[in-house]
Amino acid sequence: MSVTNWRTINIDALDPDSPYNFDLSTLTPSVLPIASSEVQSTANQIRQLLRGGDGEGALRGALDTAPYGADERGKEIHLAAVIEILQSIRQSEMTPILNRIYGSEGGSEALDVLMKYICRGMAQHSSPGSAVSSPQATGFSQMGSRNLGGGEGSGQMSVLLSWHEKVVEVAGLGCIMRVMTDRRTV
Amino acid sequence: MAPPEVHHLFHHPIADHSFSADQNTLAVAKDTTVELYKRGPQGFQLKDELTGHDKTVTGVDIAPNSGKIVTCSQDRNAYVWEPSPTGWKPTLVLLRLNRAATCVRWSPSEMKFAAGSGARTIAICHFEEEDNWWVSKHLKKPIRSTITSVAWHPNSVLLAAASTDGHARVFSSFIKGIDPRPEPSAWGERLPFNTVCGEYMNSTAGWVHDVAFSPSGNALAFVAHDSSLTVVYPSAPEQPPKAIVSVSTQLLPFSGVIWSSESEIIAAGYDCQAYKLQGGESGWQLSGTVATKSRPGAASGHEESALNMFRQMDLKGKTKDDTKLDTVHQNTITKVRVYGPPGQGASKFSTSGVDGRIVIWGI
């Protein structure tokens, strides 16, 4: 008789009713797959807006076109674009912009997406080695006092933290709950 | 508006509570027992204890007409307790589950009850006279995860269930010989057992905590862990619903929901207070909290003597006592239930919380 280690048998695999044998993706909201190239072109359009000085329009555009169905690379591209926008908006403009977005149609959802990007951005920069910041950031940057002392990473972190605070002020704790609950990730 | 009636029963979470039809008896699920309180001159007094379950009791419901109590527990069983001259007589109901039972509710006809469970199953139980035995039939498909809550349609056939797979579903629990043939409604015309009359998900697919049918039974509300409330208006059998209205709130999630009328919903949960929502098919919005202003004792915090203030600063390094929430419940609200005779519009409701309080609110 062969020796079988009964404890290592995955009994869930033998049970036809078990969730192990069930495609869990049918329980999540359906998302349309998007190619990275498409995400890239959207990101470029958004950057165009940003360069034109329309930070709010760029932010709204970026939040409305969040690529839920993109692969890891596509999501990175969009994340980089959003973070760029967040960094370019001045502290004093944050609250008015958020209030305007929240008050508009679908605004609550847009702020949920923004919160997702803020959380994603924080997760990314706290892990060492994932350098999204441009390579020239290693040299001494002459522009802005933001980079003094902490380098690019902590500068981005402080921007994200102040955005986080402002978003919670406007959209409440419910917004954080939705980020944690939502199956559609950015 | 009259201040809410607060009953602090004990320092232990209350999983579920139920009032008898005359509102003089209160059943509270506490740990592995169900405690029965009688209304006395000084609030509710402990009168009886229903012991029998050997794991945490998760649900309790008193049938308004027959006075029978059904309880369910994580020990995977349910008991039906009948009043008798020598006390409460339990009857074990084998739910045939392999996971904990999570919630239980009598059907409005009181011929059946439904028990949700962690086994991706809802047990529909009815009494078989011939065998003198409660029989359990299972609603299984297409549930993919734990059932968190069940709610009956006024016709005692349709059952709504909230699940952690992110769906709120409407099933038929029609049992031949027990139920009269139901009137056709927007939910369905022919309703054999386990017909899925509706399956709804909100945009984030978060856990659904609670469901409730509107008083007419023609709309369904559910609250989910993404701090949202969704109301579904069905149009016709097998057709997409007329309207699905979803409200994303700024609050922490709701864990309980009831309808006070066709145009008003009460929801409460992790924010420790109850909120009113008003609306209809065209849209719903949050219209504020239920009576917290006129709370007794709320004003006492304002009049502080200078001596007291300095004493507090000396003792605690602060002048304000901020160890208390300014809500009536001091912890999460676990269940919201209509208080008063069923069927009519609710003018009062009761909430139970993790803080061991039962509060009766006027709307």
Side-chain angles (χ1 to χ4, degrees):
Chain A
M1 218 172 97
S2 67
V3 180
T4 314
N5 190 354
W6 301 103
R7 287 183 188 280
T8 60
I9 295 176
N10 185 355
I11 54 163
D12 282 335
L14 302 172
D15 176 8
D17 280 342
S18 137
Y20 189 84
N21 293 319
F22 184 78
D23 182 13
L24 288 172
S25 65
T26 58
L27 296 178
T28 55
S30 57
V31 289
L32 293 173
I34 306 173
S36 313
S37 55
E38 232 170 287
V39 178
Q40 184 69 62
S41 75
T42 324
N44 287 342
Q45 283 171 20
I46 291 164
R47 284 203 178 87
Q48 208 88 52
L49 273 176
L50 187 62
R51 255 176 257 130
D54 184 7
E56 184 179 349
L59 182 60
R60 187 67 208 247
L63 298 181
D64 287 345
T65 56
Y68 289 132
D71 57 1
E72 227 19 68
R73 200 178 134 53
K75 287 181 176 184
E76 294 272 333
I77 294 169
H78 205 79
L79 173 68
V82 173
I83 295 209
E84 204 171 300
I85 298 165
L86 293 183
Q87 283 181 312
S88 71
I89 294 173
R90 255 180 277 128
Q91 189 114 20
S92 57
E93 286 172 5
M94 290 177 182
T95 309
I97 288 181
L98 290 175
N99 278 327
R100 277 198 295 276
I101 293 182
Y102 191 69
S104 64
E105 180 120 348
S108 157
E109 205 152 306
L111 290 195
D112 294 347
V113 178
L114 175 57
M115 185 54 98
K116 284 182 197 173
Y117 276 107
I118 292 169
C119 295
R120 174 85 202 272
M122 287 181 179
Q124 189 156 40
H125 294 291
S126 55
S127 60
S130 64
V132 159
S133 49
S134 47
Q136 60 260 40
T138 45
F140 285 104
S141 169
Q142 305 294 305
M143 39 206 297
S145 59
R146 202 177 61 217
N147 291 343
L148 293 177
E152 186 78 4
S154 82
Q156 276 177 1
M157 188 59 91
S158 81
V159 171
L160 290 176
L161 270 173
S162 54
W163 273 102
H164 186 278
E165 184 193 347
K166 299 276 170 12
V167 174
V168 172
E169 260 168 38
V170 174
L173 293 174
C175 158
I176 299 178
M177 291 312 301
R178 280 186 284 280
V179 171
M180 296 199 292
T181 312
D182 207 332
R183 308 287 183 107
R184 298 166 301 178
T185 55
V186 295
Chain B
M1 191 185 291
E5 211 183 295
V6 185
H7 301 284
H8 195 178
L9 302 177
F10 40 73
H11 292 279
H12 203 280
I14 297 175
D16 198 3
H17 73 283
S18 179
F19 282 95
S20 63
D22 60 1
Q23 280 102 49
N24 284 331
T25 308
L26 164 66
V28 172
K30 179 196 181 190
D31 217 348
T32 60
T33 59
V34 172
E35 294 190 340
L36 292 180
Y37 290 82
K38 278 266 184 306
R39 190 185 281 278
Q42 279 108 39
F44 282 96
Q45 309 277 312
L46 182 62
K47 275 279 143 34
D48 217 337
E49 226 178 352
L50 308 181
T51 52
H53 288 293
D54 51 306
K55 291 223 164 56
T56 306
V57 177
T58 50
V60 57
D61 199 21
I62 304 180
N65 297 321
S66 66
K68 288 181 192 169
I69 301 177
V70 61
T71 61
C72 74
S73 151
Q74 291 175 0
D75 64 12
R76 304 172 317 211
N77 289 321
Y79 280 100
V80 175
W81 307 79
E82 283 168 78
S84 77
T86 53
W88 291 91
K89 187 171 81 66
T91 310
L92 176 69
V93 184
L94 285 177
L95 299 175
R96 296 186 292 118
L97 301 170
N98 56 9
R99 295 285 190 281
T102 51
C103 51
V104 70
R105 286 293 177 263
W106 284 106
S107 71
S109 68
E110 300 179 18
M111 304 289 280
K112 303 185 289 187
F113 65 83
S117 81
R120 306 189 299 274
T121 307
I122 304 168
I124 306 290
C125 304
H126 65 277
F127 193 71
E128 201 74 66
E129 291 289 348
E130 287 172 25
D131 308 326
N132 192 20
W133 187 250
W134 284 90
V135 178
S136 150
K137 273 186 98 173
H138 285 176
L139 287 171
K140 264 187 133 67
K141 289 220 158 94
I143 304 166
R144 295 311 315 180
S145 190
T146 300
I147 297 296
T148 50
S149 164
V150 289
W152 286 95
H153 188 276
N155 71 6
S156 289
V157 169
L158 293 169
L159 179 78
S163 170
T164 55
D165 59 15
H167 287 77
R169 297 188 177 90
V170 178
F171 295 100
S172 161
S173 69
F174 181 76
I175 291 171
K176 232 182 175 166
I178 297 281
D179 293 307
R181 190 164 291 282
E183 296 279 314
S185 70
W187 296 104
E189 276 155 10
R190 280 195 65 251
L191 297 165
F193 190 77
N194 209 159
T195 310
V196 180
C197 305
E199 198 172 13
Y200 311 102
M201 185 164 64
N202 63 8
S203 56
T204 63
W207 285 25
V208 182
H209 285 298
D210 199 12
V211 280
F213 278 108
S214 72
S216 67
N218 291 332
L220 179 80
F222 63 93
V223 288
H225 201 67
D226 60 350
S227 298
S228 74
L229 173 128
T230 308
V231 186
V232 180
Y233 293 92
S235 56
E238 319 269 319
Q239 299 290 315
K242 267 192 288 192
I244 297 186
V245 183
S246 202
V247 186
S248 301
T249 67
Q250 303 182 327
L251 311 163
L252 292 177
F254 298 125
S255 58
V257 62
I258 55 161
W259 294 70
S260 60
S261 70
E262 291 292 330
S263 59
E264 190 175 66
I265 289 176
I266 307 285
Y270 293 88
D271 262 321
C272 313
Q273 48 186 334
Y275 290 87
K276 259 186 224 179
L277 293 105
Q278 280 163 337
E281 245 166 84
S282 50
W284 280 84
Q285 56 262 347
L286 201 66
S287 62
T289 64
V290 180
T292 44
K293 293 280 183 294
S294 58
R295 192 164 68 84
S300 65
H302 295 295
E303 296 290 322
E304 288 261 16
S305 69
L307 172 71
N308 200 16
M309 190 183 90
F310 285 114
R311 182 180 288 154
Q312 290 295 319
M313 280 171 82
D314 185 34
L315 279 171
K316 297 178 182 167
K318 58 191 176 188
T319 54
K320 271 214 188 109
D321 182 18
D322 54 1
T323 54
K324 273 199 168 139
L325 297 176
D326 56 1
T327 53
V328 175
H329 275 287
Q330 294 295 305
N331 208 329
T332 300
I333 294 172
T334 49
K335 283 273 160 35
V336 185
R337 303 201 61 164
V338 174
Y339 180 83
Q344 301 151 25
S347 62
K348 282 185 166 186
F349 65 96
S350 59
T351 54
S352 60
V354 177
D355 55 356
R357 280 180 178 82
I358 300 275
V359 182
I360 301 163
W361 308 79
I363 295 171

